[in-house]
Amino acid sequence: MEFRKNDLVTLEIEDCGIDGEGIGKADGFTVFVKDAVIGDTVTAKIIKAKKNYGYGRLMEVLKPSPYRVEPKCEFARQCGGCQLQALSYDQQLVFKTNKVKGHLERIGGFTDIPMEPIIGMDELFHYRNKAQFPVGRNKEGKIVTGFYAGRTHNIIENRDCALGVAENKEVLDRVIAHMEKYGIEPYNEATGKGLVRHVLIRYGYFTKEVMVCLILNGNKLPKEEQLVKSLCEIPGMTSITINVNKKHSNVILGEEIRLLWGQEYITDRIGDISYQISPLSFYQVNPMQTQKLYAKALEYADLHGQETVWDLYCGIGTISLFLAQKAKFVRGVEIVPAAIENAKENAKLNGLENTEFFVGKAEEVLPREYKKNGVYADVIVVDPPRKGCDETLLETMVEMNPERIVYVSCDSATLARDLKYLCERGYELRKVCPVDQFGMTVHVETVVLLSQQKPDDHIEIDLDLDELDATTAETKATYEEIKAYVWDKHHLKVSSLYISQVKRKCGLEVGQNYNLSKSENPKVPKCPPEKEAAIMDALKHFQMI
């Protein structure tokens, strides 16, 4: 049977898509239905039809799923920001686990995935410490603020989001009242006119400090001092700023920040680490879950105080400083200069001197520092944006050959792609742990541990009988003896592969098949300069060169 736009179909929802939409079939025709829940029987109207599948609008729930719950927010369907509010929380966790697992299987090609149980949330609502509210006028001409409806820039009026903190509504009420009192126009995207574009609110979950940043299509707000006086009546008010953004685009924040009152940042903490957070700072929006996320990353990093760690896409140093509590030294990389300044200040704030931060693209900074300056890493932690890692960066990570890579991901599809690259070049997927940072939404964070050594790795060694000659034992050393010497003197861990590479450079014989990969055209990691120098020292010590 052929289905067309506006056809009504009855569906039993049997599955859930990656964006939370229900999936059902009508005579073999697959229909994706937003707001439908697994187990529902629904009536849907076809709004877009392809040859074998289509998209439907939920018209009626004929028989509700046992997993269906009443959304807490009355705007849940209109807004679209909370795609899973109608799904029970235990099933949300099942959905997110399956989403990660499915991407690793389909995109990464992994089987027998070592999944740990997903880390769920204790507080399902009012967990967000940051919100950005667009400001505009509705059809009746009233000034409104809220959130954009899905895939549109139509504002759904809502000053009291169920995921945000109570302070949001108090701030928005006072800003809108100020605009109405003094005739201040909201920004109009169509014309590029109007002044107030967005209201950005940050909240210190542990410190209770409040930040308000008004994003303006101009340099000044009329009667600024009156608004400051009003906002300062809110308990915890710490920072009031203006952000200037005159660009005719949908980018929310401009680069210029002007302080109206208080300080330019608020402070919050994760575990024992305190952070200064500015309007432009990237900072995880769910602090309770972030503590669990970083604790898992720290567990996977397995630091004992002797490791050198690189933290790529470090932001304001959130993960870097967590790692610095246990590592010998941590180097962070971030493209935003202001974030790096924040990271340095945060290191000082916490008395952590074993850190260094670099401004630039991770895919440019890491190769430069490795190839030109010989830096290395025992552990690399990477927390990229949704697009994942640049291939140049992944290539350098492989060349640096850290013992462990901890990958923190906010997009399991690009995570799977990057893990496939790394695991085809000598790494093994050891642990995968999803973390629910964003309850009621389809988003999920994932922490992954990659190990340099595979448990089933094996080597073939050709031994010259002279190696066993007792008369020459004093001039030769085993690989284990060389490793022990390098660790004791230089506090560096070196692999047998690296030792064999350096021995070859020095003209020393190495078994023909020693440490050769069984795969075709293997990409063998090269020994970093710092470790090569340490191995050379060991060879001299044992009078092998």
Side-chain angles (χ1 to χ4, degrees), residues 42 75 106 140 146 344 414 524:
V42 305
F75 306 108
R106 294 192 302 273
E140 290 74 37
K344 292 176 180 178
T414 55
V524 180

Side-chain angles (χ1 to χ4, degrees), residues 73-93:
C73 175
E74 63 178 301
F75 306 108
R77 283 190 65 180
Q78 293 173 270
C79 173
C82 297
Q83 305 90 347
L84 302 181
Q85 265 203 53
L87 183 65
S88 65
Y89 188 63
D90 59 341
Q91 288 302 307
Q92 290 186 34
L93 297 183

Side-chain angles (χ1 to χ4, degrees), residues 15-39:
D15 203 352
C16 192
I18 60 172
D19 292 323
E21 68 276 32
I23 302 174
K25 290 189 177 182
D27 294 329
F29 184 76
T30 300
V31 185
F32 297 85
V33 185
K34 180 181 174 294
D35 302 312
V37 170
I38 292 179

Side-chain angles (χ1 to χ4, degrees), residues 113-258:
I113 299 167
M115 296 277 290
E116 294 189 339
I118 187 170
I119 299 175
M121 294 169 52
D122 299 319
E123 300 294 332
L124 305 184
F125 295 95
H126 305 296
Y127 61 80
R128 287 189 63 99
N129 59 12
K130 174 189 175 184
Q132 297 172 140
F133 295 88
V135 184
R137 289 191 182 274
N138 62 14
K139 294 179 180 178
E140 290 74 37
K142 177 186 173 184
I143 297 178
V144 296
T145 184
F147 297 100
Y148 291 128
R151 296 185 175 87
T152 76
H153 271 210
N154 299 323
I155 297 174
I156 303 299
E157 185 176 5
N158 182 6
R159 301 185 192 181
D160 192 17
C161 172
L163 301 191
V165 295
E167 285 75 5
N168 289 346
K169 183 177 187 305
E170 187 71 16
V171 170
L172 294 173
D173 286 349
R174 291 170 185 263
V175 171
I176 299 302
H178 182 82
M179 293 177 65
E180 290 174 340
K181 182 176 181 179
Y182 295 105
I184 301 170
E185 278 297 311
Y187 180 69
N188 185 310
E189 287 189 336
T191 64
K193 296 180 179 180
L195 183 62
V196 182
R197 301 175 69 130
H198 283 78
V199 180
L200 165 65
I201 306 169
R202 286 185 182 270
Y203 180 73
Y205 197 90
F206 295 100
T207 62
K208 311 303 180 188
E209 295 180 359
V210 179
M211 167 188 288
V212 176
C213 179
L214 301 176
I215 294 90
L216 303 182
N217 180 39
N219 298 311
K220 187 174 175 60
L221 184 76
K223 304 294 183 179
E224 289 177 344
E225 61 280 2
Q226 280 85 345
L227 178 60
V228 166
K229 183 179 179 181
S230 175
L231 291 175
C232 285
E233 294 174 357
I234 300 173
M237 187 58 61
T238 304
S239 173
I240 304 175
T241 58
I242 293 292
N243 176 265
V244 179
N245 180 7
K246 300 179 183 179
K247 295 181 179 178
H248 192 58
S249 72
N250 58 6
V251 176
I252 294 177
L253 288 165
E255 297 178 359
E256 181 184 341
I257 297 285
R258 181 167 62 87

Side-chain angles (χ1 to χ4, degrees), residues 270 273-276 281-283 294 311-325 330-334 336 338-347 350 352 355-357 383:
I270 301 173
I273 301 296
S274 296
Y275 301 92
Q276 292 180 354
S281 296
F282 170 78
Y283 188 72
Y294 289 179
D311 176 19
L312 309 178
Y313 307 96
C314 70
I316 63 172
T318 44
I319 295 182
S320 304
L321 303 185
F322 233 66
L323 298 167
Q325 298 174 97
V330 177
R331 294 182 174 95
V333 182
E334 172 60 51
V336 181
I340 288 297
E341 289 305 312
N342 287 157
K344 292 176 180 178
E345 289 299 320
N346 288 329
N350 291 279
L352 294 169
T355 59
E356 183 179 10
F357 294 99
D383 184 8

Side-chain angles (χ1 to χ4, degrees), residues 448-471:
V448 171
L449 171 63
L450 297 173
S451 173
Q452 180 193 78
Q453 300 293 336
K454 296 184 179 179
D456 58 350
D457 273 354
H458 63 278
I459 57 175
E460 295 182 8
I461 305 174
D462 290 346
L463 285 177
D464 191 309
L465 291 178
D466 285 344
E467 289 276 345
L468 304 178
D469 185 351
T471 63

